Amino acid sequence: MRLVAFGVGYVGLVTGTGLSELGHDVLCVDVNAQRVADLHKGKIPIYEPGLSDLVRRNVTSKRLTFETQVDAPYNEADVYFIAVGTPPGEDGSADVSAVFAVANKIVEIAKRPALVAMKSTVPVGTCDKVQAILDNAKVRLEVVSNPEFLKEGTAVEDFFKPDRIVVGARSEEAKQKLRELYAPLQLSGDRMVITDPRSSELIKYASNTALAMRVSFMNELSRLCHATGADIHAVRSGMGSDSRIGRRFLYAGPGYGGSCFPKDVQALAMLGRSHGVEMVLAESTHRVNEAQAVFLMSLVEEGLGGNLAGRTVALWGLSFKPETDDVRESPSIKVTEALLSKGAKVVGHDPEGSANFAAHFGDRVRVTEADYDALEGADALILLTEWRSYRAPNFGEIKRRMRSSEQLPLLLDSRNIWRPQDIVKAGMRYQGIGIPPYQA
Ligand SMILES: NC(=O)c1ccc[n+]([C@@H]2O[C@H](COP(=O)([O-])OP(=O)(O)OC[C@H]3O[C@@H](n4cnc5c(N)ncnc54)[C@H](O)[C@@H]3O)[C@@H](O)[C@H]2O)c1
């Protein structure tokens, strides 16, 4: 098929590249001319494991191209994908203006009947509004909701082995066309959930909020563990061994971040409000997440004697999760803002996210290329993202690099991945999330 993807971000680039790998001719379009120029030079705008090789291969075979405009023959495409951002507006509801801009663009360019597949995460009813725009075209254009479920860090793998492909369409023809498009991803079994556009739009928000809710529940429990002396590791193990609950995605930590959970949970709450339905769980999930950042800061302050002015805090892990360079809404952003506001100096390291983090804070923070260099003279180290390279560090080296004053250096392990005894043995203090103090 001939396909066009609007938006060359995490979703558009992975989807467009994946579809070209399956044998389709794909044009990826973005309004960001710099992004497109970089892609022409072979520079991939995001870090996603396995993606750059795949882009290179498909560009070479001429099945994948990048432009800022849609020219012939792509004005006669079979499917136009909308994969542009839907960031939170002032009140937390999703800003879908870029989606409507793309819909208007498609009306302008399309020279033959086509489908318009909505990959962007949009509030229930948006596809109907997009259809009203598409009805102005000279040719028949039909919108289908086709929400994206890729996980940053494993996006390429998720594209080729999706848990499910959700399609919300009105016509049989549209359902059939998407079945055909995704057939190569269904060889080992049918993973398609076919429904109406409104249910499909809601599935996406419901899924992200359900996942975020698990995280917030564990975070709330971690605070209760801290207050009562219970151990979140044991609580997780005991809860998770019930097969109805399961152990996956059941971790306490610094709070969820990224470009999806925070905005989608709030957008669901707003969607409910605008329809007169109070989404108590979505609203609480968000509140608990905000409170976790405050809890984390209270642990740093307590560990450094109550005064952060002039203290140096090192951060390991700036991206919101491992294997991505995305720092949008990352816990590192909240923690850094709080540390700076209290007069602390912040030095960060991340295997891939340093450049985005530095671009966000400018000269208010320092980032280092080597992980241990971030520790030089630091009073505390906060581990924020559980990248593999941080899992078994040399604690002796960490101790040598950090500042030992009247207090031993503090290691705040917000992902609970280190063994407290290793840190105490190396002559430092350990603080986890919801773990009782270590006693030798
Ligand atoms: N990132 C994820 O993990 C993920 C997962 C599932 C769903 N989503 C959803 O997919 C959508 C895209 O997310 P993303 O993370 O890929 O966003 P992104 O910010 O990485 O990329 C969006 C791109 O769209 C471009 N753009 C904006 N307006 C445009 C226009 N009018 N025409 C062409 N291009 C335009 C931007 O320049 C940018 O490059 C969002 O709705 C998001 O909620 C994201």
Side-chain angles (χ1 to χ4, degrees):
M1 289 189 205
R2 191 179 292 153
L3 309 170
V4 176
F6 285 90
V8 189
Y10 290 86
V11 172
L13 185 56
V14 171
T15 305
T17 306
L19 288 166
S20 69
E21 174 77 0
L22 294 179
H24 300 291
D25 291 318
V26 182
L27 168 67
C28 292
V29 187
D30 204 292
V31 284
N32 184 337
Q34 184 61 48
R35 205 159 249 222
V36 172
D38 284 346
L39 280 157
H40 286 166
K41 288 186 218 136
K43 194 173 155 206
I44 311 297
I46 56 171
Y47 172 73
E48 193 55 57
L51 184 60
S52 62
D53 282 350
L54 217 54
V55 171
R56 206 169 307 123
R57 186 155 78 216
N58 286 284
V59 166
T60 305
S61 66
K62 295 194 167 38
R63 280 197 303 271
L64 181 62
T65 44
F66 301 98
E67 295 300 341
T68 52
Q69 297 292 335
V70 181
D71 290 320
Y74 285 97
N75 52 2
E76 297 192 7
D78 297 282
V79 185
Y80 296 92
F81 290 92
I82 303 182
V84 296
T86 47
E90 293 261 297
D91 62 355
S93 61
D95 175 355
V96 289
S97 53
V99 165
F100 293 146
V102 172
N104 280 303
K105 178 57 84 183
I106 297 170
V107 167
E108 214 180 281
I109 57 169
K111 294 282 174 287
R112 75 168 166 96
L115 287 186
V116 174
M118 183 69 72
K119 288 242 141 247
S120 296
T121 304
V122 292
V124 178
T126 306
C127 281
D128 290 343
K129 291 181 186 159
V130 165
Q131 186 62 57
I133 296 174
L134 298 178
D135 287 343
N136 296 320
K138 292 200 179 77
V139 293
R140 185 166 173 273
L141 299 173
E142 180 177 348
V143 70
V144 292
S145 165
N146 179 209
E148 181 54 59
F149 294 94
L150 65 76
K151 301 181 282 304
E152 287 180 24
T154 54
V156 171
E157 205 186 320
D158 292 341
F159 176 86
F160 291 108
K161 291 184 190 151
D163 286 339
R164 78 292 217 187
I165 296 171
V166 175
V167 168
R170 299 254 182 244
S171 78
E172 276 314 309
E173 197 187 337
K175 291 174 189 167
Q176 197 44 43
K177 184 98 161 230
L178 284 200
R179 272 202 176 282
E180 195 188 318
L181 179 72
Y182 289 121
L185 305 178
Q186 312 277 326
L187 300 180
S188 61
D190 188 2
R191 296 186 181 84
M192 291 194 79
V193 176
I194 300 197
T195 177
D196 62 280
R198 287 184 177 235
S199 306
S200 167
E201 288 166 330
L202 189 53
I203 287 169
K204 176 64 196 176
Y205 282 111
S207 304
N208 273 358
T209 304
L211 291 167
M213 222 152 70
R214 273 172 84 91
V215 175
S216 273
F217 185 49
M218 291 310 286
N219 284 339
E220 204 167 46
L221 284 174
S222 76
R223 303 208 288 269
L224 190 60
C225 286
H226 188 78
T228 58
D231 182 340
I232 194 71
H233 280 310
V235 174
R236 170 179 179 268
S237 171
M239 284 167 71
S241 47
D242 182 327
S243 62
R244 293 168 303 176
I245 298 172
R247 287 166 193 256
R248 293 186 68 196
F249 228 77
L250 205 62
Y251 293 96
Y256 57 75
S259 68
C260 292
F261 284 9
K263 84 169 170 61
D264 291 351
V265 169
Q266 288 178 82
L268 183 66
M270 280 308 293
L271 183 71
R273 234 180 269 172
S274 66
H275 287 80
V277 180
E278 202 187 349
M279 302 297 287
V280 180
L281 290 176
E283 297 198 0
S284 305
T285 298
H286 172 65
R287 275 216 308 281
V288 170
N289 198 52
E290 297 287 300
Q292 192 70 0
V294 176
F295 173 62
L296 194 69
M297 277 307 297
S298 73
L299 294 178
V300 188
E301 278 194 281
E302 203 179 292
L304 291 184
N307 185 8
L308 295 179
R311 312 301 290 273
T312 301
V313 179
L315 305 181
W316 269 8
L318 307 170
S319 57
F320 79 96
K321 63 189 277 193
E323 299 298 333
T324 180
D325 60 351
D326 199 346
V327 303
R328 290 179 285 183
E329 301 285 327
S330 174
S332 68
I333 304 277
K334 274 190 202 143
V335 166
T336 301
E337 285 295 1
L339 288 169
L340 293 175
S341 74
K342 289 174 190 293
K345 288 193 205 96
V346 176
V347 187
H349 173 269
D350 190 277
E352 295 293 338
S354 293
N356 285 337
F357 182 77
H360 182 93
F361 284 103
D363 57 11
R364 296 165 67 209
V365 300
R366 206 159 62 75
V367 294
T368 61
E369 269 188 35
D371 36 17
Y372 289 88
D373 288 351
L375 308 175
E376 223 61 68
D379 300 288
L381 163 63
I382 312 179
L383 177 103
L384 285 171
T385 319
E386 69 280 28
W387 283 88
R388 278 197 295 269
S389 59
Y390 299 143
R391 290 197 188 176
N394 179 338
F395 290 114
E397 181 64 10
I398 293 181
K399 168 83 188 318
R400 271 191 292 284
R401 300 281 192 124
M402 290 179 72
R403 196 168 85 93
S404 286
S405 53
E406 60 281 6
Q407 280 182 322
L408 296 174
L410 171 71
L411 267 57
L412 203 171
D413 172 12
S414 80
R415 300 287 178 172
N416 292 342
I417 60 171
W418 290 332
R419 295 188 331 153
Q421 58 268 41
D422 295 343
I423 290 160
V424 170
K425 210 161 95 197
M428 297 180 287
R429 290 176 296 145
Y430 176 84
Q431 176 69 62
I433 298 283
I435 299 175
Y438 172 69
Q439 276 157 8

